[in-house]
Amino acid sequence: MNDQLKTMLLKAKLNFAILGSILIIAVLGKFINPELTNSIFVTADQLVSDLYIVFIAITLGAFVPNFKLVAFGSIATFIGATILIQIGVFTYLTTEYVFSVLIVVLGFASIANLYRHYREFGL
């Protein structure tokens, strides 16, 4: 395998892990709880048409040098929002909606970060 491709794959392993996790959630969710999974991904699909979320995710993925901060920060924000929903601070949000936002943000940020790695090598 080409050395540049090996280097790119090593740098982007977190991106592939995130995208693979989204795929695994979708597949397993269809077997475990198809109604919930369907509602989460329908909401995520609707969120994509809210372009400001997509622009924020792409900006985070493309311009933040340490992608681990983006990934773990997004997950920590999701956990914090979920705790606040369960406590009753956010009465107008649901955990499913926040999870849909997490899927959209991590997915688009991962793809943008992959593209950034791709552009570095000029492949």
Side-chain angles (χ1 to χ4, degrees):
M1 192 182 317
N2 189 352
D3 288 335
Q4 285 184 336
L5 185 59
K6 282 183 187 178
T7 306
M8 186 177 81
L9 290 175
L10 286 174
K11 281 185 168 185
K13 62 185 170 187
L14 180 60
N15 297 320
F16 290 120
I18 289 171
L19 293 172
S21 298
I22 293 171
L23 182 63
I24 289 170
I25 289 169
V27 170
L28 288 179
K30 287 295 182 178
F31 292 112
I32 296 171
N33 193 347
E35 294 85 19
L36 178 64
T37 304
N38 191 40
S39 70
I40 288 173
F41 280 96
V42 165
T43 304
D45 183 46
Q46 292 169 349
L47 285 170
V48 171
S49 52
D50 292 337
L51 291 178
Y52 63 90
I53 293 174
V54 174
F55 288 148
I56 291 169
I58 290 172
T59 302
L60 287 172
F63 297 114
V64 174
N66 190 354
F67 186 69
K68 289 179 187 176
L69 291 176
V70 174
F72 295 125
S74 299
I75 293 169
T77 303
F78 166 74
I79 291 170
T82 301
I83 290 170
L84 291 175
I85 289 169
Q86 296 301 319
I87 292 173
V89 174
F90 293 140
T91 56
Y92 54 92
L93 285 177
T94 63
T95 305
E96 291 83 13
Y97 183 81
V98 176
F99 189 66
S100 298
V101 171
L102 178 71
I103 288 173
V104 170
V105 168
L106 284 179
F108 277 97
S110 294
I111 292 168
N113 194 263
L114 275 172
Y115 182 71
R116 188 184 82 182
H117 289 303
Y118 172 79
R119 295 283 297 171
E120 285 177 5
F121 293 108
L123 297 174

